[in-house]
Amino acid sequence: DSGVTQTPKHLITATGQRVTLRCSPRSGDLSVYWYQQSLDQGLQFLIQYYNGEERAKGNILERFSAQQFPDLHSELNLSSLELGDSALYFCASSPSPGSSYNEQFFGPGTRLTVL
Amino acid sequence: AQSVSQHNHHVILSEAASLELGCNYSYGGTVNLFWYVQYPGQHLQLLLKYFSGDPLVKGIKGFEAEFIKSKFSFNLRKPSVQWSDTAEYFCAFRTYNTDKLIFGTGTRLQVFP
């Protein structure tokens, strides 16, 4: 157990819908990362938050957005869902950004299926 | 573009065989390197990491990796695999000025008793 929790574990929804994935980082970690794992794209970085502020953006679609709340949990919002959004979404956390010795701890993931 | 290449997509071994999984990254500057493992149905776990110093790093469960800067490689090794090593293995790196991890496509390892 990495200490990072994600809910829900599984999510099945229809095209065009909107879903919210939730992540709680390890106790004491200030930085949260979201990654998408799909069969065709592999594991790709989506976005990073540090202490409530967006710090880095990767290959995140405009239909997707995220935020980090004052209690440091983070939510990833996916809207106008398409079949191709079906994937495993991982959250990771680390103590602070920019440190050379930073390592990321991953949650169990949320498996999203879009029908 | 920054990327990671894992040459072996699927490796099948018998227990006690030796393992070497290849990983090459494309980036000309300083990097931190990682190997993660994903057991069936579980989350990614860190096997080992290289930040600086001795290029031969030891991780958990008897795994080790060697950073060869001139070859941009960070190959994972284990002298004798076990059935419980069956999993997917991901190589990743991070450049000095970012935190995001760039992952390879993964290598699926199957170990048969």
Side-chain angles (χ1 to χ4, degrees):
Chain A
D1 186 356
S2 65
V4 178
T5 60
Q6 289 187 249
T7 56
K9 202 168 182 177
H10 301 278
L11 201 46
I12 301 174
T13 188
T15 54
Q17 294 299 304
R18 182 178 188 275
V19 296
T20 298
L21 313 184
R22 182 189 168 105
C23 166
S24 293
R26 289 188 326 154
S27 176
D29 285 356
L30 300 179
S31 205
V32 169
Y33 310 76
W34 286 98
Y35 291 85
Q36 179 195 57
Q37 185 180 30
S38 61
L39 283 174
D40 53 345
Q41 300 284 337
L43 253 168
Q44 292 212 318
F45 168 75
L46 295 178
I47 198 164
Q48 176 194 5
Y49 277 81
Y50 169 60
N51 213 14
E53 300 289 326
E54 182 184 304
R55 182 170 171 91
K57 223 169 185 176
N59 300 322
I60 188 166
L61 299 170
E62 283 191 16
R63 301 183 283 109
F64 295 2
S65 64
Q67 53 184 324
Q68 186 179 27
F69 294 87
D71 67 353
L72 300 177
H73 90 271
S74 177
E75 292 181 356
L76 179 67
N77 300 296
L78 316 176
S79 61
S80 303
L81 286 167
E82 301 174 0
L83 295 176
D85 297 328
S86 295
L88 197 51
Y89 291 84
F90 285 109
C91 170
S93 73
S94 67
S96 62
S99 165
S100 296
Y101 296 90
N102 230 2
E103 73 174 78
Q104 294 176 28
F105 296 85
F106 282 78
T110 292
R111 183 169 293 281
L112 173 66
T113 303
V114 182
L115 301 175
Chain B
Q2 298 167 8
S3 65
V4 177
S5 176
Q6 291 185 242
H7 318 293
N8 319 99
H9 296 293
H10 191 189
V11 173
I12 301 173
L13 295 172
S14 299
E15 273 193 320
S18 65
L19 170 73
E20 179 157 5
L21 300 182
C23 169
N24 287 90
Y25 65 93
S26 61
Y27 182 73
T30 303
V31 295
N32 300 144
L33 293 153
F34 306 84
W35 274 97
Y36 281 87
V37 61
Q38 188 176 25
Y39 296 104
Q42 294 190 28
H43 61 282
L44 285 160
Q45 299 173 44
L46 184 65
L47 264 183
L48 47 78
K49 60 194 177 193
Y50 172 79
F51 288 122
S52 63
D54 188 346
L56 184 62
V57 293
K58 294 192 184 299
I60 60 171
K61 305 187 182 190
F63 286 92
E64 66 177 31
E66 185 175 13
F67 172 47
I68 304 179
K69 192 174 181 180
S70 60
K71 294 186 178 180
F72 300 91
S73 70
F74 190 55
N75 292 354
L76 181 71
R77 298 194 292 250
K78 185 171 184 178
S80 176
V81 295
Q82 300 173 311
W83 175 79
S84 57
D85 293 325
T86 294
E88 189 139 18
Y89 292 81
F90 293 91
C91 180
F93 80 96
R94 182 182 71 204
T95 64
Y96 79 98
N97 59 348
T98 72
D99 299 300
K100 72 175 187 181
L101 292 172
I102 297 168
F103 283 90
T105 50
T107 296
R108 186 175 168 221
L109 172 65
Q110 277 184 294
V111 180
F112 289 96

